[in-house]
Amino acid sequence: MWVLLGIAVLVAGFVARLNPLAVILAAAVVTGVAAVVAPGVGVAELGRAALDTIAAFGKAFNDYRYISVIWLVLPLIGLLERHGLQERARILISKARGATTGRILLAYFVLRQISAALGQTKLGGHPQMVRPLVAPMAEAAAEARLGDLPDAVRYRIRAHAAAVDNIALFFGEDIFIAIASILLIKGFLEANGIMVEPLQLSVWAIPTAIAALLVHGTRLVLLDRSLARQTAEAEAGR
């Protein structure tokens, strides 16, 4: 019966319109303390139960803190975009000599692949890098060289920006030995009777990553010429 005190705390806190997080934490502590209430249990044991409950909350937050970080980062990126992050990126690239769409995307590809190979897979990504920075910079470089871009060209640049992130991450992360994809490959091979070590998979991922860099890098080098031709054809067809 004492355990139900936590529900009473919840109801009272919500009726009083107190901070929901504080109410939930208080209800959890009350429930944790009430769970040890029994004949012969002293104040020291009750205090220890309260501390253990709070410690459990702290451990859960520490173990799964990346979930909270995601919800903090996304509004931050939206706030930066609202105050001109994309515009600043465009201005910066428009003033850079020699900057082209292909070169910018190739530079990001190399950085993304190297960081993924070192296990830093969260340094890039579509919401935090491609949309607010990489794609606007690539578009600005094309605008500086080609003028006003048709929608088809603009969307093609954005697609290439997203593809660069995907390909670099996909072929770069397998080089890092302590990554989920390596463990998945190892488990699949072992299930089919092929015994390999994670280090072997990591080492053999290096040639694949280099091949991906060469193949997609060539596509990006040729991208500027293709965009110029597509823009000219669009203007001629107007």
Side-chain angles (χ1 to χ4, degrees):
M1 184 181 70
W2 292 105
V3 180
L4 298 179
L5 287 176
I7 299 177
V9 172
L10 276 177
V11 174
F14 289 150
V15 169
R17 296 185 178 181
L18 300 178
N19 186 296
L21 291 179
V23 171
I24 293 173
L25 178 60
V29 172
V30 170
T31 302
V33 173
V36 300
V37 173
V41 175
V43 177
E45 287 79 5
L46 296 178
R48 191 177 302 111
L51 293 177
D52 290 343
T53 304
I54 296 174
F57 266 89
K59 184 178 184 302
F61 176 80
N62 185 66
D63 292 342
Y64 303 101
R65 62 187 180 277
Y66 59 86
I67 298 177
S68 300
V69 169
I70 291 175
W71 290 109
L72 290 175
V73 169
L74 291 180
L76 175 61
I77 293 173
L79 185 62
L80 291 174
E81 287 190 17
R82 181 181 179 88
H83 288 276
L85 177 63
Q86 291 190 8
E87 288 75 11
R88 287 296 176 182
R90 290 175 180 274
I91 293 173
L92 176 64
I93 291 301
S94 63
K95 294 180 179 180
R97 295 182 178 181
T100 67
T101 300
R103 292 173 184 173
I104 291 172
L105 295 181
L106 180 58
Y108 179 68
F109 186 100
V110 174
L111 292 175
R112 181 68 161 138
Q113 194 171 57
I114 292 175
S115 63
L118 297 175
Q120 303 301 317
T121 58
K122 303 300 182 183
L123 292 181
H126 291 197
Q128 61 267 41
M129 282 294 293
V130 175
R131 184 182 184 278
L133 287 176
V134 178
M137 291 169 68
E139 288 183 41
E143 290 172 348
R145 296 170 63 87
L146 305 175
D148 189 26
L149 300 177
D151 288 341
V153 175
R154 194 176 300 277
Y155 295 148
R156 186 182 177 192
I157 293 173
R158 295 175 184 177
H160 271 280
V164 161
D165 189 274
N166 289 345
I167 297 171
L169 175 63
F170 184 85
F171 289 100
E173 66 177 358
D174 288 344
I175 299 176
F176 187 66
I177 189 171
I179 201 75
S181 57
I182 288 290
L183 300 178
L184 177 63
I185 296 171
K186 174 177 167 50
F188 176 80
L189 292 177
E190 287 185 354
N192 289 273
I194 304 174
M195 306 304 294
V196 294
E197 294 297 326
L199 181 59
Q200 294 176 285
L201 296 173
S202 179
V203 170
W204 281 104
I206 296 176
T208 308
I210 294 175
L213 173 60
L214 294 176
V215 172
H216 200 68
T218 302
R219 293 186 63 198
L220 295 175
V221 169
L222 300 175
L223 178 61
D224 293 319
R225 190 180 307 171
S226 177
L227 292 176
R229 183 170 58 252
Q230 184 179 1
T231 303
E233 291 174 355
E235 292 179 351
R238 289 180 179 175

